[in-house]
Amino acid sequence: MRSIFTTAASRTGRAALMAGAALAMTMTSASAETLRWARVADALTLDPHSQNEGPTSTLLHHIYETLVGRATDGSLEPRLATEWSISEEDPTVWVFRLREGVTFHDGAEFTAEDVVFSLDRVRAESSGFKALHSAVESVSMVDDYTVHVKMAGPSPLYVQNLTNTFIMDKGWAEANDVVMPQNFAAGEENYAVRNTNGTGPYTLVSRDPEVRTVMAAFEGHWGETPAVTEIIYTPISEAATRVAALLSGEVDVVQDVPVQDIARLEQTDGIKVTTGPENRNIFFSYDMTSDTLRSANVDDNPFKKPEVREAMSLVLDRDAIQQVVMRGQSQPSAAPLPPFVNGWTEEMNAYSAPDYERAAALVAEAGYPDGFSVDLNCPNDRYLNDEAICQALVGMLGRANINANLVSQSRSLHFPLIENWETDFYLLGWGVPTFDSAYVFNFLVHTREGSFGSFNGSRYSNPELDAKIEELATMTDLEARDALIAEIWDKVMEDRVFLNVHNQMLAYAMKDNINLDVHPENQPKMTTVTFGN
Amino acid sequence: MNRFARIWDSDIAWSFRHSPVAIVATIVALIIILAAVLAPWIAPYNPFDSASLNLMDGFTPPGEPNQFTGNTYLMGTDNQGRDIFSTILYGARISLFVGFAAVIFAMVLGIGLGLLAGWRGGWVDSLLMRVADVQLSFPSILIALLIFGVARGFIPPSMREEVAIWVLIVSIGLSDWVQYARVVRGAAMVEKSKEYVQAARVIGVHPARIVLRHILPNVMGPVLVIATIGLALAIIAEATLSFLGVGVPPTQPSLGTLIRIGQQYLFSGEWWILLFPSIALLLLALSVNLLGDWLRDALNPRLR
Amino acid sequence: MLAYIIRRIAQSVLVMLVVALVSFALFRFVGDPINSMVGQEATIADREALRDQLGLNDPFLTQFATFVARAAQGDFGISYRLQQPVMELILSRLPATLELALVSGILAFTFGVGFGVYTALRRNGWLSNTIMTVSLIGVSLPTFLIGVLLIWVFAVELQWLPSFGRGDVVSVGGWPTGLLTPSGRASLVLPAITLGLYQMTLIMRLVRAEMLEVLRTDYIKFARARGLANRAVNFGHALKNTMVPVITITGLQLGSIIAFAIITETVFQWPGVGALFINSVRFVDVPVMAAYLMLIALVFVIINLIVDLLYYVVDPRLRVDRAATRH
């Protein structure tokens, strides 16, 4: 349909009609170098250590580099560090061997000094990443290309925390007075918010926040010259407009494609869609510990009863949600962690077909012959079709006499409910950036205390399990560690702490002649783009 | 002459009988209102009963059997497997309820404050009209957003679901009262100075009686016009607020919420989810607007 | 005169304070910005520390007083979301919104007056009736739907016009404008129509009603009796007389244009203050929301002030009248 319109339009002197629009159209034959890239939101800042947030890190990966990178298959790959290992003399020290011959965009040479500076800066009070580095005691330079990171105790997985920790130039940061990330109380803008000096494959050409960011390939980069030499990045927040921009040829690559549009885009001439699993699973959880609920119409806490939790797992029709709500773009699973995360097993993933009669019987058995009602809190602007998933669950629960009142609201209202323990029953999505189960246990399973359990909205508390979870952090025997992880999972699954729905899938839509694979952390790198079919 | 004949022969009725637009608009509006009111009896399904929905029925095209369940629906189904036809009927109920309630709220508030300002004058009038100035120039959507936000803070989360619709009504109504107040205030000021009113006051007739018997009837024409247009505006405003993320819960969608959901499927091929609710809203708002237009012309004696 | 102006300005300041108070009260209920500001790894203690640092744990009145004291000096702080000074952020977005509002205002005014005059003169013609009915369709559908439909037809299917953004802009004396580039002008078309449709219908109806009334006055009848050409009567006398209320109402509708710009800008990814506001609401970027609402309040306070003062200067009768009714 598109080709008919465009040829007809150009024959009838489109230029005379709409000279302005023509400009945008003639650019559709994207020169092999420029890539116009659109996604839902812009990076919040260019300061590499200020915001630990998806779109910000994604953009910054093009300008700055990390010591280690995350490949599209989820494995670690060398970037500014060529080798990394735990010191043979001291199990609490990580040794990083740095790449030589790397320069920053302003010409300064990259050395161990910059790494020490950056790892200090990222641990500052105003850093958004400091929690990832809380086990670090000190960072020291051994020689120009070797860095030692001293941990409080053995930390075999610390390197996994480094995939979004960018390296800045010490000299540049000091010259521009940006040795600390943005401090809001100070009330002054940090120079690094708008200016950059990284070692990355692209340099910043211009930036108008939330409008357009232009980057050009950095001649002096140590890696291979990328096929894309210029990137024009434009956030488009409305889903329909974003898809329209691709259909009309105004952008080349669209991230965050709505699931319902995938099939149609695939059938459109000149457009293709690549999909892949994201490192993020979507699950429901509930207050299974308190004696009473805030919103239920019964005096006790139904979620405390194993029968009710079992009934809920029996009504959840994961396949129906996958087929209808997610249009096939999800991996239904009972395991509350993405499949590439260490600790995932085939058995955890398995789920049975829904059995509404049995579920209703279980609810009655638990002491609720007439069922009960409770509020279900749901975000409506955070995960793929989050509100629709909750709506679907409401219908399914109804068949087991559980009357859930859906309260869906924006993320800024939803997440504080979990943080403040103000919700009985909620939806949450969880990504595992370290690709290890310990991360899930720390935040979601461990009793809420200190740095543990900040997203444990179920109030689940098992001292025995807590001890095991804490033990994981320092275990260096990886085999024994994996066995312990499996042990913890067994208990968590048995207690039904989570009602997992699925693992989210990602989709990128692009022009036919562009090749770009889905990145499990939704951080596509335009250096990996190739042209041609 | 009996009452019916008197009405039939009145100027308004004559004008009505000779305006095909008004007649068609009235019929369309009445059909929609009637269908909405009778939704529980004429709709084939109850889309607000979540437990009766089968998710696998989702995205059934109109008039074609569903690929999994084989069920057929006149206007197809939406993303939750709700019958679009039934959902439109139930949704129109919500939209009309919000619309009428918001208009009544605005009307009562506007007339009350307008009368107060016009009758009392002085500082009361000054204050009210200053507030009205502020309100008139302050964007109505922003006012609604503000009220919605504040209300959300005061209402416990577990009750939000039930009161959401009332908050919506107050939000829309509050941003709309000024027009009524202005008209009524003007009329009250004019009447107040007339001799018969002065005389009535002298002989001790209660002011409320004067207001109700003499001033109100005089302004009912313009008020009715504002109310009619206001009804259409309120229904559209509800849809707009839904787009901004404040509105009725998705499990009990209004026409506006249905359209907000439907526009996500504009490019995906499921056109019916957007098309049918849009047509319903368009027909409803258009017919009410046309009626308002006609009423304005018909009630203006200088245009006859 | 001076006393009157001073009194009016004092009232305006009071109004601004009330707006600030109301909008400030709102922020507590929009949500919690902290969750958007820190990564998911942040501990509860970290979150609490940041909340303290931002002053979100202070008593409401303390927060408000701090805000007003700073705002009075033009300091609205740093955006939580984009980490840039709020004032600078808003000023950089304002040209886009003003340009869009201006163009759609001109469109609405031109077509509104044109159609209004036509439908008044040919009161029962079929074309008049068509114009009246079709224009009503524009206000019988929500703005966001009209925007999306326009994108679908003109950007996706016909590919005549861009679907999003502002195109190329050039800076004229520090004011970035899209009016001087072809892509900038093309980008304006769809958003301007979406935004102007409602105002156009309103103006058209107003002009029509005013024209119909004026055409019946003795003044016009005399003009006709004097043998003036229809054209001269219609445009020279009748239209001129309808313009005062039309212009007044159009001016007062500025607030409504700005309000609907929120939706239009969101749909078309137009980089103006409306889209900035909506993104700020989603993120609970309190400093930006506060500054935006104060800006809107300032705009209407200034408009009202100017209108009042103009009346005062132009119409001597009002001096007495106003003095009697208002003060």
Side-chain angles (χ1 to χ4, degrees):
Chain A
M1 66 168 189
R2 247 149 44 79
S3 56
I4 295 171
F5 274 117
T6 28
T7 42
S10 51
R11 277 192 201 126
T12 51
R14 179 183 56 196
L17 258 175
M18 272 299 155
L23 186 80
M25 302 306 138
T26 46
M27 279 165 66
T28 41
S29 55
S31 57
E33 296 95 29
T34 298
L35 188 86
R36 292 163 303 164
W37 167 24
R39 74 173 300 181
V40 66
D42 199 2
L44 299 173
T45 171
L46 295 180
D47 187 316
H49 302 142
S50 183
Q51 293 273 7
N52 183 3
E53 186 250 6
T56 307
S57 293
T58 307
L59 185 72
L60 284 172
H61 268 295
H62 293 86
I63 298 171
Y64 286 97
E65 284 175 303
T66 53
L67 290 175
V68 294
R70 183 77 66 190
T72 40
D73 64 358
S75 64
L76 290 180
E77 60 184 9
R79 278 187 97 185
L80 287 176
T82 49
E83 290 162 43
W84 52 92
S85 60
I86 294 171
S87 166
E88 279 167 18
E89 297 92 58
D90 183 350
T92 65
V93 169
W94 271 92
V95 182
F96 291 91
R97 181 80 199 147
L98 306 181
R99 192 178 294 278
E100 296 182 26
V102 175
T103 55
F104 285 94
H105 296 161
D106 70 352
E109 204 190 332
F110 161 75
T111 64
E113 220 184 11
D114 301 313
V115 176
V116 174
F117 168 77
S118 300
L119 289 181
D120 284 343
R121 191 177 190 264
V122 82
R123 291 186 290 135
E125 193 51 44
S126 54
S127 158
F129 296 83
K130 63 171 183 275
L132 289 172
H133 301 272
S134 56
V136 175
E137 241 171 33
S138 63
V139 185
S140 57
M141 172 174 158
V142 176
D143 60 49
D144 267 0
Y145 296 100
T146 312
V147 168
H148 279 184
V149 180
K150 170 91 174 81
M151 316 299 292
S155 306
L157 292 168
Y158 172 65
V159 67
Q160 300 279 353
N161 294 2
L162 291 172
T163 53
N164 286 322
T165 298
F166 298 102
I167 304 301
M168 294 174 86
D169 180 15
K170 185 183 183 208
W172 179 82
E174 283 171 351
N176 293 299
D177 193 23
V178 288
V179 289
M180 290 291 159
Q182 177 83 50
N183 179 345
F184 286 91
E188 268 169 35
E189 184 189 339
N190 194 314
Y191 182 78
V193 168
R194 273 188 260 198
N195 300 280
T196 60
N197 182 35
T199 60
Y202 295 92
T203 56
L204 182 70
V205 176
S206 69
R207 174 166 161 86
D208 193 354
E210 302 202 296
V211 181
R212 186 190 334 221
T213 302
V214 181
M215 291 169 283
F218 171 45
E219 302 272 327
H221 189 247
W222 53 269
E224 281 175 46
T225 313
V228 174
T229 53
E230 187 190 37
I231 301 172
I232 301 176
Y233 175 77
T234 50
I236 305 180
S237 57
E238 274 306 295
T241 314
R242 202 158 57 239
V243 172
L246 180 70
L247 287 170
S248 64
E250 291 165 79
V251 297
D252 303 315
V253 173
V254 168
Q255 226 178 313
D256 311 305
V257 179
V259 289
Q260 63 268 20
D261 290 329
I262 292 173
R264 195 62 185 268
L265 285 170
E266 274 172 342
Q267 288 164 17
T268 308
D269 278 346
I271 289 176
K272 71 176 177 194
V273 183
T274 52
T275 57
E278 183 184 4
N279 183 346
R280 173 164 282 128
N281 60 298
I282 304 295
F283 60 87
F284 292 99
S285 189
Y286 22 67
D287 176 358
M288 52 188 284
T289 309
S290 305
D291 288 331
T292 55
L293 294 179
R294 326 176 124 240
S295 65
N297 65 346
V298 288
D299 294 333
D300 54 352
N301 178 358
F303 297 134
K304 217 172 170 175
K305 307 192 173 169
E307 297 93 339
V308 173
R309 299 203 296 272
E310 189 185 345
M312 292 176 57
S313 75
L314 282 173
V315 297
L316 178 62
D317 189 347
R318 295 178 176 86
D319 291 332
I321 289 178
Q322 190 232 12
Q323 277 177 11
V324 180
V325 178
M326 303 306 288
R327 305 297 185 98
Q329 296 301 319
S330 69
Q331 298 171 316
S333 161
L337 75 169
F340 22 64
V341 171
N342 180 38
W344 179 89
T345 61
E346 201 66 67
E347 299 82 66
M348 286 166 71
N349 199 65
Y351 54 92
S352 53
D355 185 343
Y356 299 107
E357 275 173 34
R358 170 106 187 92
L362 279 168
V363 171
E365 239 173 73
Y368 310 101
D370 303 321
F372 63 93
S373 82
V374 65
D375 283 359
L376 169 60
N377 290 104
C378 191
N380 58 15
D381 55 2
R382 180 63 189 90
Y383 311 111
L384 289 176
N385 291 348
D386 39 17
E387 187 179 87
I389 294 169
C390 290
Q391 248 179 292
L393 181 75
V394 168
M396 294 163 185
L397 288 172
R399 298 196 192 184
N401 281 330
I402 301 174
N403 178 15
N405 305 311
L406 178 57
V407 182
S408 64
Q409 47 197 357
S410 82
R411 61 175 94 174
S412 50
L413 288 164
H414 178 73
F415 290 107
L417 297 179
I418 300 173
E419 186 191 323
N420 301 329
W421 278 354
E422 284 170 351
T423 170
D424 296 330
F425 186 20
Y426 58 92
L427 178 116
L428 181 62
W430 198 249
V432 189
T434 61
F435 285 68
D436 185 85
S437 289
Y439 188 89
V440 181
F441 300 148
N442 287 343
F443 291 102
L444 304 178
V445 179
H446 194 289
T447 307
R448 183 177 283 188
E449 56 188 20
S451 62
F452 290 107
S454 49
F455 280 84
N456 177 354
S458 65
R459 288 81 151 165
Y460 183 73
S461 177
N462 184 334
E464 214 174 294
L465 227 46
D466 289 351
K468 288 178 184 168
I469 291 169
E470 285 162 44
E471 202 184 333
L472 285 178
T474 53
M475 285 177 83
T476 42
D477 178 352
L478 293 184
E479 233 169 83
R481 191 174 177 277
D482 285 351
L484 189 58
I485 286 176
E487 214 181 298
I488 298 172
W489 271 126
D490 277 349
K491 182 65 183 154
V492 170
M493 295 300 282
E494 186 197 317
D495 285 346
R496 297 186 204 275
V497 181
F498 308 102
L499 178 58
N500 197 66
V501 183
H502 56 232
N503 195 49
Q504 239 175 227
M505 299 269 278
L506 288 171
Y508 304 161
M510 61 203 87
K511 295 237 166 74
D512 244 348
N513 64 333
I514 296 171
N515 305 307
L516 173 66
D517 288 333
V518 164
H519 188 275
E521 297 203 89
N522 204 6
Q523 295 186 345
K525 308 219 172 22
M526 297 308 150
T527 43
T528 64
V529 166
T530 58
F531 292 96
N533 293 312
Chain B
M1 207 161 39
N2 65 25
R3 175 168 277 197
F4 175 77
R6 245 190 0 246
I7 293 173
W8 178 256
D9 283 333
S10 69
D11 289 341
I12 288 273
W14 187 89
S15 158
F16 184 79
R17 276 181 281 141
H18 288 81
S19 167
V21 173
I23 294 172
V24 172
T26 309
I27 293 174
V28 171
L30 280 181
I31 289 177
I32 296 177
I33 291 172
L34 213 64
V37 170
L38 298 177
W41 294 278
I42 56 176
Y45 304 90
N46 178 0
F48 289 2
D49 176 14
S50 294
S52 72
L53 300 176
N54 181 357
L55 193 55
M56 297 312 285
D57 270 334
F59 302 113
T60 314
E64 285 173 37
N66 179 285
Q67 55 169 323
F68 303 111
T69 62
N71 297 334
T72 310
Y73 300 88
L74 180 65
M75 294 185 184
T77 61
D78 71 356
N79 60 338
Q80 293 288 331
R82 288 186 289 228
D83 173 38
I84 299 266
F85 177 63
S86 307
T87 318
I88 288 176
L89 294 183
Y90 276 81
R93 233 167 121 87
I94 304 257
S95 289
L96 281 167
F97 179 69
V98 170
F100 274 113
V103 163
I104 291 170
F105 179 76
M107 196 151 73
V108 170
L109 190 67
I111 292 178
L113 292 180
L115 284 177
L116 189 66
W119 188 260
R120 289 289 299 275
W123 68 269
V124 176
D125 182 40
S126 282
L127 179 76
L128 286 173
M129 284 304 110
R130 187 115 310 266
V131 172
D133 274 354
V134 171
Q135 177 116 46
L136 204 62
S137 356
F138 213 67
S140 57
I141 298 180
L142 278 186
I143 292 175
L145 272 179
L146 282 169
I147 295 169
F148 210 88
V150 172
R152 199 156 47 181
F154 288 121
I155 296 161
S158 58
M159 283 180 60
R160 277 181 203 153
E161 219 51 355
E162 297 102 74
V163 296
I165 197 161
W166 294 102
V167 173
L168 204 60
I169 287 165
V170 172
S171 308
I172 297 171
L174 259 193
S175 58
D176 224 23
W177 64 272
V178 176
Q179 297 196 53
Y180 301 95
R182 291 229 151 154
V183 169
V184 174
R185 169 180 174 267
M189 283 173 78
V190 170
E191 295 294 315
K192 191 172 71 170
S193 57
K194 284 195 178 153
E195 282 175 14
Y196 77 94
V197 175
Q198 306 277 11
R201 289 173 87 174
V202 170
I203 60 169
V205 177
H206 195 271
R209 192 177 155 84
I210 302 175
V211 167
L212 290 178
R213 289 293 292 271
H214 300 290
I215 298 179
L216 263 192
N218 272 319
V219 293
M220 274 337 273
V223 163
L224 204 60
V225 173
I226 300 176
T228 317
I229 307 273
L231 176 63
L233 277 178
I235 292 171
I236 301 290
E238 188 274 321
T240 304
L241 284 174
S242 152
F243 175 74
L244 292 177
V246 289
V248 296
T251 42
Q252 299 188 3
S254 64
L255 280 182
T257 310
L258 279 179
I259 293 174
R260 193 252 303 167
I261 294 169
Q263 62 108 19
Q264 297 168 8
Y265 301 100
L266 184 64
F267 296 118
S268 67
E270 284 96 7
W271 48 269
W272 58 91
I273 305 178
L274 177 62
L275 183 74
F276 295 121
S278 300
I279 290 180
L281 182 73
L282 181 65
L283 284 179
L284 178 60
L286 189 60
S287 57
V288 171
N289 268 327
L290 285 170
L291 264 181
D293 248 19
W294 164 79
L295 202 59
R296 193 201 327 251
D297 281 5
L299 285 175
N300 190 340
R302 279 168 295 185
L303 296 187
R304 259 186 232 128
Chain C
M1 177 77 188
L2 191 66
Y4 174 68
I5 293 177
I6 291 174
R7 208 160 44 223
R8 279 299 280 110
I9 290 178
Q11 282 180 356
S12 303
V13 170
L14 197 69
V15 168
M16 292 287 290
L17 277 175
V18 171
V19 170
L21 188 71
V22 170
S23 46
F24 225 75
L26 160 79
F27 303 143
R28 323 202 97 199
F29 309 123
V30 172
D32 184 4
I34 303 300
N35 187 69
S36 313
M37 295 175 72
V38 299
Q40 66 182 13
E41 293 91 359
T43 63
I44 287 179
D46 287 346
R47 290 161 199 263
E48 203 48 42
L50 182 58
R51 207 171 276 131
D52 259 343
Q53 195 195 68
L54 295 176
L56 295 173
N57 285 336
D58 294 347
F60 175 73
L61 284 177
T62 311
Q63 287 188 48
F64 181 64
T66 314
F67 170 77
V68 170
R70 285 203 189 150
Q73 301 162 25
D75 175 14
F76 286 93
I78 300 266
S79 157
Y80 293 168
R81 195 168 63 98
L82 296 169
Q83 308 194 345
Q84 298 183 5
V86 171
M87 218 44 216
E88 201 180 308
L89 205 55
I90 287 188
L91 288 180
S92 75
R93 299 296 191 83
L94 205 52
T97 298
L98 291 182
E99 221 163 86
L100 175 63
L102 189 74
V103 171
S104 63
I106 291 173
L107 275 183
F109 192 77
T110 316
F111 284 93
V113 171
F115 286 152
V117 169
Y118 182 85
T119 50
L121 296 181
R122 304 251 181 293
R123 203 174 142 205
N124 290 316
W126 68 269
L127 187 58
S128 284
N129 285 335
T130 312
I131 292 176
M132 290 292 284
T133 309
V134 170
S135 73
L136 272 186
I137 294 180
V139 294
S140 299
L141 284 175
T143 314
F144 71 88
L145 181 61
I146 291 176
V148 172
L149 290 177
L150 285 177
I151 290 178
W152 175 47
V153 174
F154 292 100
V156 175
E157 293 298 332
L158 298 173
Q159 305 212 349
W160 287 353
L161 296 164
S163 57
F164 76 98
R166 214 184 158 197
D168 295 320
V169 289
V170 288
S171 183
V172 178
W175 177 282
T177 176
L179 292 171
L180 298 178
T181 63
S183 71
R185 284 192 295 267
S187 302
L188 251 174
V189 179
L190 294 184
I193 291 177
T194 310
L195 185 56
L197 206 55
Y198 179 81
Q199 306 300 329
M200 189 210 78
T201 310
L202 192 85
I203 293 171
M204 179 185 129
R205 263 138 222 285
L206 196 67
V207 169
R208 176 175 173 272
E210 292 284 333
M211 277 290 275
L212 286 177
E213 295 218 358
V214 173
L215 284 175
R216 299 192 160 250
T217 55
D218 293 344
Y219 160 70
I220 297 292
K221 284 181 185 155
F222 280 131
R224 281 193 212 281
R226 263 164 54 204
L228 285 178
N230 261 343
R231 204 186 165 76
V233 174
N234 291 341
F235 292 96
H237 293 78
L239 182 59
K240 214 168 84 186
N241 270 295
T242 63
M243 277 296 118
V244 177
V246 169
I247 290 174
T248 313
I249 296 280
T250 312
L252 286 175
Q253 283 291 317
L254 198 84
S256 152
I257 289 195
I258 291 175
F260 281 98
I262 293 179
I263 311 217
T264 310
E265 287 179 7
T266 306
V267 170
F268 289 95
Q269 193 65 29
W270 188 264
V273 283
L276 181 70
F277 176 69
I278 282 299
N279 282 334
S280 303
V281 170
R282 286 178 184 154
F283 193 97
V284 199
D285 191 346
V286 174
V288 175
M289 288 193 288
Y292 173 83
L293 290 173
M294 295 299 287
L295 177 84
I296 301 274
L298 187 67
V299 166
F300 85 69
V301 159
I302 289 175
I303 290 176
N304 270 350
L305 193 62
I306 292 174
V307 168
D308 273 7
L309 291 181
L310 276 182
Y311 276 155
Y312 192 87
V313 172
V314 170
D315 194 339
R317 281 172 307 168
L318 281 172
R319 286 176 212 174
V320 189
D321 194 29
R322 290 211 156 214
T325 57
R326 281 225 163 124
H327 308 294

